[in-house]
Amino acid sequence: MNNSTNTSSKQLIVIVGGGTAGWLTAAIVAAKHKIAKGQCGLDITLVESSDIPTVGVGEGTWPTMRNTLKDIGLSEKEVFRKCSAAFKQGGKFVNWVNGDGDFYYHPFTVPLGYGRVEMAPYIDNVSEFANSTNFQQHVCEQNMAPRTLNEEEYSSAQSNYAYHLDAGAFADMLKTFCKEELGVTHKVATVEQVATSSKQCIESITLDDNSILEADLFVDCSGFRSMLLGEALGEPVVSANDTLFNNSALALHVPYNGDFEIKPYTQATAQEAGWIWDIGLSSRRGVGHVYSTDFTTDERAEELLRRYVGDDKGELTPRVIRFDSGYKKQIWKGNCIGVGLSAGFVEPLEATALMLIEISARYIAEQMPTPASAMPIISQRFNKQMQYRWQRIIDFLKLHYIFNQRSEPYWLANRDAASIPDSLKEDLEIWKYRGPQIADFSAAIELFPAASYQYVLYGMGFSPDFSLQSHFYTQRDLANKVIQQNQLITQQKLSSLPNHRNYIEQWLAS
Amino acid sequence: MPNFQILSSEQHSSTYVDESRLPTTFSNFHLVNVEIKEAVQASSEFPLFFSKVANQQRWTISALCGFAPKENVFETQGTWLARFTPLSLRTLPFTLNFEKDPEAPQTVLDIDSPAVSTTKGEALFLSSGRPTAYLDNKQKLLKERVTAMQQTAALLNDIAALNLIQPTDLIIEYSDNTQQRVGGLAMLNEQRLQNLTSEELSSLHKTGVLSVLFNILGSIFQINRTIHLHNTKFPSRFINNVKFETSKQ
Ligand SMILES: Cc1cc2nc3c(=O)[nH]c(=O)nc-3n(C[C@H](O)[C@H](O)[C@H](O)COP(=O)(O)OP(=O)(O)OC[C@H]3O[C@@H](n4cnc5c(N)ncnc54)[C@H](O)[C@@H]3O)c2cc1C
């Protein structure tokens, strides 16, 4: 086993691809095993081609990224400096209901009283759910940071948060840290051939310098191409194109002008046949249009994007990205696991991609090194978990689309029952009369808590008919208290939290 | 005299405020403005009176922190002795100027304040010209004060309309047997308060003012604290007693 130069009894992980998926996986695994110390039974080599570019997008994260970066051993301040990072305290969805300027928030902090009292039945206008039970929307609307200068880095005691990061800089930072601090071996070369044994596992890969690499585990981080898992092992994609219609994206870097604010949330603004993301970094904005070519043209999509960013003169050049929605059923097949775009992709509406990379890398870190005899078991277990997660993500993304009242063909088609997965239909049948509850999401591998479903459903005006179970709802006094308490907390946050941009500038200067 | 400059990132990029020197600034105020929403807390420290805002017909609440202009006996050798500091002091050395545009007041800085420095303390602006968290907080306090002042004015207006405010002179008796009469203050008319009709009482109760009024009433006994602090700070002008005299108007 192992490649010819590696004579130790250590197991070797070879990662193919040096995008965010490759480097983040390398960092998470290497940090967990302290590979740099050389005392564990594991080595990591990352192979990346200098000729094949990374996808270069993917700038919104989940709050999970905080612990991930901390565990890797990075200073949060350094991350902010190197990646022009900013705080993200949730998502703001504009025009998803009528298209007349309506908006709702999916904040990262759970509703006040969560787990103690089901708030929705007591709120007269349920579309005010996030507002009445959570302070974060107000903090976001005022462009505030999630903490004060007196607090430690990584502290989320006041307000749960994630990041906006410059994708290219993020991968570069991870690369440097992996090589200099974490003991990851870096090889710049293009994989030209992949040898398999009956498409069940990878024997070796041949690089363009004619060297051959063997490994105990190959991690396919080669991007959409999925060179190992897809091309070589022939693992097919379970398509979600019939549920999620978008198949193209136009991405722009938009400079700031004059005195500006950095929005501490990702804004997703619905368009005729898609939506536009707007991600504030400290150095620029990342803005892009995700749309479906079945319902609009690239030209029209570009026009709407330019209009959104106010680029009438056409000074900015968008990059086009095509994609399919779907995932591989066997993400871990034989001795090969797909991580990142090679494992699957759905539109970035809830910024799930980096989070799935974190989960996958953590699983690898926890399971490796492993005897070959156990690999079929751990891979099967992982595949089962991930299939469930992908289905839940697809359901949750679809949820954003089905209660709109817009009249464009794209939005009508999105409401068509045939496009809604059965699993989501079943959930909705229950939520119709009692709303999503914590108990519906008790599985340990669940990604979105009930709170997320509540924010999105209620935010869109989905109003369950609570009358059938009205005898359960006897906590009105408590609910009113929670609403009052939320007002107090909101006031207190608004008077104590600093402006987002100012916080970052001052923090980084100190 | 304060020397106010309109705050700007260009002019004040290397201006600092040393908060530890703020009490020295407080020492200039013998009457300190207190807003209604602060009155309950302030009543545990200071004797509270009413006074007319300069040049205006509006009433305000004043904490009596000394017996002569420029004498704040709650400050001694740069230390602030009270546990509660009203907004009107906490916002120093800044204040808002409404003259140019009442809707969008300008923040002004008293550059002669002993807390203002070119070398030491909290910076006001970042290199980008944006305010620091310190200045941000001060500006939030200034805004909070404006809202609080509007509330105070409205509620005191109601109280005055009920004839609850009665002008009162202080008669200060020094140990050398001299006396000094201080005018311009007013107190609650306790008798009138006891005789309010139930409608009047319930309307005061609804706005939450009633309990505030009782606290203001009780705060009068804090005058002994002011006297004590005065005698410590200015032993040569030892005060034996302060009497209140309802002035006949
Ligand atoms: C429009 C859009 C918006 C997105 N927004 C978000 C978001 O907000 N949040 C989020 O979490 N995610 C988002 N994503 C997803 C995110 O961008 C990706 O999950 C992430 O960048 C990981 O990409 P990757 O590393 O798998 O692939 P890539 O970045 O494509 O990297 C592939 C790597 O493989 C190497 N490679 C390929 N072939 C070979 C070969 N033969 N030999 C050697 N090396 C090879 C390449 O050189 C490259 O280094 C978005 C994606 C898209 C398309």
Side-chain angles (χ1 to χ4, degrees), chain A residues 95-114:
Chain A
N95 285 343
W96 285 74
V97 182
N98 303 309
D100 59 1
D102 60 85
F103 71 86
Y104 68 91
Y105 269 84
H106 173 193
F108 284 149
T109 305
V110 297
L112 200 63
Y114 193 62

Side-chain angles (χ1 to χ4, degrees), chain A residues 64-123:
Chain A
T64 48
M65 189 59 85
R66 274 198 328 262
N67 276 335
T68 296
L69 297 179
K70 203 171 166 186
D71 291 347
I72 289 173
L74 286 158
S75 133
E76 196 180 36
K77 215 182 233 184
E78 277 309 295
V79 175
F80 270 69
R81 284 205 181 110
K82 297 214 168 96
C83 308
S84 305
F87 293 102
K88 169 180 179 183
Q89 300 183 68
K92 178 180 183 180
F93 295 87
V94 180
N95 285 343
W96 285 74
V97 182
N98 303 309
D100 59 1
D102 60 85
F103 71 86
Y104 68 91
Y105 269 84
H106 173 193
F108 284 149
T109 305
V110 297
L112 200 63
Y114 193 62
R116 217 160 23 113
V117 50
E118 202 64 58
M119 290 297 290
Y122 307 103
I123 296 172

Side-chain angles (χ1 to χ4, degrees), chain B residues 126-225:
Chain B
L126 303 166
S127 51
S128 62
R130 304 266 294 187
T132 59
Y134 169 75
L135 179 57
D136 225 20
N137 271 334
K138 282 284 183 185
Q139 272 166 336
K140 276 185 203 158
L141 282 180
L142 287 164
K143 254 195 220 144
E144 184 185 339
R145 182 165 179 230
V146 172
T147 320
M149 282 169 81
Q150 284 158 353
Q151 188 195 30
T152 305
L155 293 174
L156 289 191
N157 208 10
D158 296 349
I159 293 165
L162 291 171
N163 287 323
L164 284 168
I165 297 180
Q166 88 186 337
T168 307
D169 285 352
L170 303 189
I171 297 164
I172 305 166
E173 300 174 353
Y174 291 99
S175 60
D176 61 4
N177 287 328
T178 57
Q179 277 197 351
Q180 189 192 342
R181 183 179 280 265
V182 174
L185 296 177
M187 288 170 66
L188 270 182
N189 185 335
E190 194 176 353
Q191 213 173 5
R192 173 81 186 110
L193 191 59
Q194 307 293 0
N195 292 331
L196 289 178
T197 67
S198 57
E199 290 91 58
E200 287 169 335
L201 277 174
S202 87
S203 85
L204 285 178
H205 182 61
K206 257 192 219 126
T207 51
V209 177
L210 197 57
S211 64
V212 175
L213 292 185
F214 282 111
N215 275 289
I216 291 178
L217 212 54
S219 76
I220 288 315
F221 297 104
Q222 306 290 355
I223 192 117
N224 292 321
R225 184 150 184 236

Side-chain angles (χ1 to χ4, degrees), chain A residues 260-261 497 499 502 505-506, chain B residues 126 128 130-133 136 140:
Chain A
F260 59 93
E261 296 293 340
L497 290 173
N499 172 280
N502 298 356
E505 285 183 12
Q506 197 166 351
Chain B
L126 303 166
S128 62
R130 304 266 294 187
T132 59
D136 225 20
K140 276 185 203 158

Side-chain angles (χ1 to χ4, degrees), chain A residues 17-21 49 52 54-55 57-58 60 191 221-223 227 249 341 345 348 353-354:
Chain A
T20 310
S49 164
I52 305 168
T54 64
V55 68
V57 284
V191 178
C221 296
S222 62
M227 192 177 186
L341 297 174
F345 180 73
L354 295 179

